[in-house]
Amino acid sequence: MTGVLLRAGHVTRRFGAFTAVDDVSMRVQPGEVVGLLGANGAGKTTLIRMLLGLLAVTSGRVDLLGGPPDRERRRRLGYVPQGLGLYGDLTVRENLSFSARAYGAAEPALPPALQDYAGVLVRELPLGAQRQVAFLAALAHSSEVLVLDEPTSGVDVLARTDLWDTIRAQADRGAGVLVTTHYMQEAQQCDRLLLMSDGRLVGEGSEADIIGSTTAVAVRTADWARAFAALAAAGAPVMLAGRAIRVADADPAELAEVLSAAGIEASLQPVPATIEERMLMLARQAEAS
């Protein structure tokens, strides 16, 4: 496989007066795993549906495997949508058999974790098991492109690890993978990241490329709830992980003034930013532009 497998060129999609995707250009090449990140409503799923020819573009162009995403080209890809694309009134084995026959492939063997579910209706499975079945169906025909929309959501930690081992194996054999995820530890396993906010592409590159020189301030205080409320009220881009307060791209002196005015004692320390914090800053910049 050579060349670009999946491409969007200045793609826009409008629904009436609402612009869901705004002038986005991106690509997926053989052998790479590209992570598509963004909050709910950022436009990720709309972009994916256009890339696959399931939704018409308002303007711009999409290419799948060297041309328009028609039925024949879609036979060469594996797709796991958020809705999973399974038939709830068929068993696991029946779903996999139907999918394999539709693509002219051999029915995949069930891994140990799914063998006890072979005769169970899909609608009766736990969500994590349903996602594993959908993933298995998408891989059955040795896809040249994999498009995975939240494939590990609701899956336990060990199963997520197994699925990501499989994703890397598919890329190693030359497939191109586009995957959306809310788990930042999974984003770190991608070769390249695309960040969307409010329908726009606001960042691209490795995690280090996207974070760049952005820093954050760690705020340590026993009165963390009031500190969070005071900083948020002042318009600071504050984040909370447990009881740990962090503020992205902030001046420690300005934060100290806000906390002092609220009568809160705290220690403040500059720290490297995380990708979540950089995403927050890029989203704010996109909203302001």
Side-chain angles (χ1 to χ4, degrees):
M1 288 177 277
T2 60
V4 177
L5 301 178
L6 198 60
R7 186 199 308 270
H10 300 286
V11 166
T12 294
R13 172 66 198 201
R14 298 187 184 91
F15 296 93
F18 174 67
T19 301
V21 173
D22 188 3
D23 193 28
V24 169
S25 295
M26 51 75 67
R27 71 193 186 286
V28 177
Q29 299 180 149
E32 70 170 348
V33 179
V34 178
L36 182 59
L37 310 181
N40 290 334
K44 304 185 301 296
T45 297
T46 300
L47 175 62
I48 283 174
R49 289 177 60 81
M50 288 190 292
L51 287 167
L52 301 184
L54 303 176
L55 185 65
V57 303
T58 301
S59 62
R61 176 185 173 89
V62 296
D63 289 295
L64 169 65
L65 294 163
D70 57 20
R71 180 175 298 180
E72 286 305 311
R73 290 186 175 90
R74 285 200 295 266
R75 289 174 62 87
R76 297 159 59 191
L77 69 86
Y79 176 38
V80 178
Q82 286 187 357
L84 301 182
L86 300 173
Y87 295 93
D89 55 352
L90 297 181
T91 67
V92 168
R93 178 66 71 193
E94 288 168 340
N95 266 278
L96 294 175
S97 177
F98 176 80
S99 177
R101 290 181 182 181
Y103 285 99
E107 183 178 326
L110 285 173
L114 291 176
Q115 286 177 0
D116 289 343
Y117 293 128
V120 177
L121 296 179
V122 162
R123 66 167 177 261
E124 297 176 357
L125 295 180
L127 178 58
Q130 290 185 32
R131 290 197 179 279
Q132 292 181 68
V133 174
F135 199 86
L136 193 60
L139 297 177
H141 54 288
S142 300
S143 313
E144 296 173 54
V145 181
L146 280 174
V147 179
L148 311 172
D149 199 356
E150 301 286 348
T152 61
S153 179
V155 179
D156 65 55
V157 174
L158 291 178
R160 288 208 309 266
T161 300
D162 288 342
L163 290 178
W164 270 92
D165 286 345
T166 303
I167 289 172
R168 290 302 334 177
Q170 296 301 307
D172 288 345
R173 70 167 177 81
V177 184
L178 179 66
V179 57
T180 71
T181 179
H182 285 300
Y183 298 109
M184 290 303 105
Q185 66 269 34
E186 292 185 358
Q188 293 170 356
Q189 299 189 54
C190 297
D191 300 308
R192 190 159 48 84
L193 299 174
L194 305 171
L195 268 58
M196 289 190 69
S197 177
D198 198 26
R200 302 176 188 174
L201 189 64
V202 296
E204 181 176 2
S206 67
E207 182 180 15
D209 292 335
I210 291 169
I211 294 174
S213 59
T214 303
T215 59
V217 177
V219 180
R220 295 178 174 84
T221 175
D223 202 356
W224 60 270
R226 277 209 311 133
F228 181 90
L231 293 170
V238 61
M239 299 184 73
L240 190 65
R243 297 183 178 183
I245 297 173
R246 292 171 62 97
V247 187
D249 198 27
D251 181 347
E254 293 180 0
L255 299 182
E257 288 182 11
V258 172
L259 295 172
S260 177
I264 299 169
E265 293 185 3
S267 64
L268 294 88
Q269 179 183 4
V271 293
T274 64
I275 192 164
E276 295 100 322
E277 289 160 346
R278 181 57 177 158
M279 287 172 64
L280 176 60
M281 296 310 303
L282 289 169
R284 285 194 164 207
Q285 291 168 15
E287 290 171 2
S289 63

